[in-house]
Amino acid sequence: MKFFNKIQSRLLGAIMLIAPAVAGLSSCGFVYDDLAPCPEGLKLRFIYDYNMEFANAFPSQVHCLTVYVYDENGKYVTTLTETSSEKLSDENYRMTVDLPEGKYKVVAYGGMQCDASSYHFLQTPAAGADITSLGVALNQDIMQRPVGTELHSLFYGKIFDVEVKKETMAYDEYTVPMMKDTNNLRVILQELNGDPVAGTDFNWAVIDDNTRMNWENDVVPEGNFTYLPWTSGTASTGLQPDGSEQKVAFAEFSFGRLVTSNSPTLHITRSSDGSDVVNIPLINYLALMKSESNYKMGTQEYLDRESRWTLIFFLDKHWKWITVQIVVNDWVVRVNNPELS
């Protein structure tokens, strides 16, 4: 009797092990044709760690998402979007894309689907459209405004070696790395003798040709555009030794991707007579900081990783920039190369 009980117990254990596997097969349609097929497609994770913290900031900074899928020949297949900031802020968020077996290219944008988006797609892809027709440009209403605009953050990501494998019987998982295309620059002018200066004492401009990016996120020449500050004014740095208040002028800019192939300039003039106060090649000065702790990093990588900048210029009594030193993102930099000025 004990012998038969042992046999019965082993048979029951074997059945319990086999049953889930059989159930799994049948649920994928291998046993019953009227049941749903196995999951097939992509499960995409998105990260934004291409920053100076080298940490994933996607959940905190990306609030809407647009994903374009193309086949291995670069022909349009489908579009997916996510506009729930609550979902995107979850570290475990994954986008599921149902696709048949094959190879694909994925291009993702953060910020385009948000109500406050500052950019628009050059065209809406149709069936069979080529990936090279994809791209974004700064909104025309922003370009035509007489004042500057604080741009809504724009992110870009791509992964071109994606494959859906039928034999996996599950969604193939991939990670899409993102980078940030928009920048914010705060400029401060301080008079060394302590005399107050105000934001209205100056005309401020950043000039660059970067209002359009193509499907690979390369900047496409469209002609120079003048970015005006989205805010400017006067700020206090506290009391001076004589008891008077030290007041400085500031302006803040928001603009698109910086690339080393361009030559953007920061141009500041006096409101009273239009004479130059500062007129510099912007990238050269922003890159001065990386010569310290990030000296091994290439300039383009540094420009892409950093997105918030601060420049402080010290003026003489005639409100001319003293080309001795400036402060870049809290780093004091001595300017010894006359070509930079």
Side-chain angles (χ1 to χ4, degrees):
M1 191 65 162
K2 291 183 179 180
F3 173 76
F4 286 108
N5 285 341
K6 288 182 179 180
I7 295 294
Q8 186 178 20
S9 177
R10 289 178 180 176
L11 286 173
L12 181 60
I15 290 171
M16 291 178 68
L17 289 173
I18 295 172
V22 173
L25 289 174
S26 62
S27 66
C28 285
F30 288 97
V31 176
Y32 301 105
D33 292 336
D34 59 339
L35 295 180
C38 286
E40 188 177 45
L42 301 174
K43 185 171 288 187
L44 301 176
R45 179 194 181 206
F46 302 87
I47 62 170
Y48 166 50
D49 60 0
Y50 200 63
N51 49 52
M52 292 308 295
E53 288 72 35
F54 296 82
N56 183 22
F58 182 91
S60 62
Q61 295 199 30
V62 181
H63 307 301
C64 61
L65 189 63
T66 308
V67 175
Y68 290 109
V69 180
Y70 294 81
D71 65 20
E72 62 179 320
N73 298 314
K75 301 302 179 183
Y76 173 75
V77 175
T78 189
T79 302
L80 296 97
T81 61
E82 180 54 70
T83 58
S84 171
S85 58
E86 183 178 357
K87 289 182 180 179
L88 294 173
S89 64
D90 185 351
E91 288 277 2
N92 297 314
Y93 171 76
R94 302 292 185 272
M95 176 178 280
T96 300
V97 190
D98 292 312
L99 291 169
E101 180 183 10
K103 296 181 179 180
Y104 299 92
K105 304 176 187 295
V106 174
V107 181
Y109 290 91
M112 295 294 293
Q113 209 67 29
C114 299
D115 292 337
S117 175
S118 300
Y119 290 79
H120 64 277
F121 290 111
L122 297 177
Q123 60 179 265
T124 302
D130 196 83
I131 193 172
T132 57
S133 64
L134 184 61
V136 301
L138 191 63
N139 291 342
Q140 281 298 318
D141 67 315
I142 292 176
M143 298 180 68
Q144 294 168 0
R145 291 174 190 172
V147 295
T149 302
E150 182 179 14
L151 302 181
H152 187 76
S153 296
L154 174 66
F155 297 85
Y156 170 87
K158 66 181 178 181
I159 180 169
F160 288 171
D161 55 350
V162 172
E163 185 174 3
V164 175
K165 302 172 184 177
K166 197 171 186 66
E167 65 271 13
T168 59
M169 294 187 295
Y171 289 104
D172 293 278
E173 298 188 14
Y174 288 89
T175 296
V176 182
M178 307 286 287
M179 63 176 286
K180 191 174 183 180
D181 279 343
T182 43
N183 294 270
N184 195 85
L185 169 67
R186 186 175 178 88
V187 182
I188 298 172
L189 300 180
Q190 177 174 335
E191 211 273 345
L192 276 179
N193 291 332
D195 293 337
V197 287
T200 53
D201 293 332
F202 306 95
N203 300 312
W204 315 74
V206 168
I207 304 166
D208 199 0
D209 184 0
N210 64 343
T211 59
R212 176 179 170 184
M213 276 82 73
N214 67 12
W215 63 286
E216 292 184 299
N217 206 39
D218 295 326
V219 171
V220 178
E222 287 282 288
N224 278 339
F225 176 67
T226 299
Y227 294 92
L228 300 176
W230 61 267
T231 185
S232 62
T234 306
S236 173
T237 63
L239 297 179
Q240 301 183 84
D242 62 2
S244 62
E245 190 175 17
Q246 173 77 68
K247 292 185 177 180
V248 300
F250 73 88
E252 205 153 344
F253 298 88
S254 190
F255 45 84
R257 187 185 181 203
L258 294 169
V259 291
T260 55
S261 56
N262 279 2
S263 301
T265 58
L266 170 65
H267 192 192
I268 305 172
T269 60
R270 289 193 302 203
S271 300
S272 59
D273 58 10
S275 61
D276 282 354
V277 176
V278 174
N279 189 4
I280 61 169
L282 184 58
I283 286 178
N284 291 14
Y285 280 84
L286 297 182
L288 287 174
M289 179 186 146
K290 81 175 183 65
S291 65
E292 301 291 337
S293 60
N294 304 296
Y295 68 95
K296 290 184 179 180
M297 185 182 295
T299 300
Q300 186 59 60
E301 179 181 349
Y302 175 63
L303 294 173
D304 287 335
R305 282 186 177 274
E306 185 63 85
S307 63
R308 303 192 69 85
W309 313 86
T310 300
L311 291 174
I312 303 176
F313 297 90
F314 299 98
L315 310 180
D316 64 17
K317 63 181 180 180
H318 304 294
W319 290 2
K320 292 288 187 179
W321 172 40
I322 300 175
T323 53
V324 177
Q325 69 178 36
I326 60 172
V327 179
V328 185
N329 283 17
D330 295 331
W331 287 76
V332 177
V333 181
R334 295 193 63 84
V335 181
N336 297 317
N337 185 352
E339 293 184 1
L340 291 180
S341 58

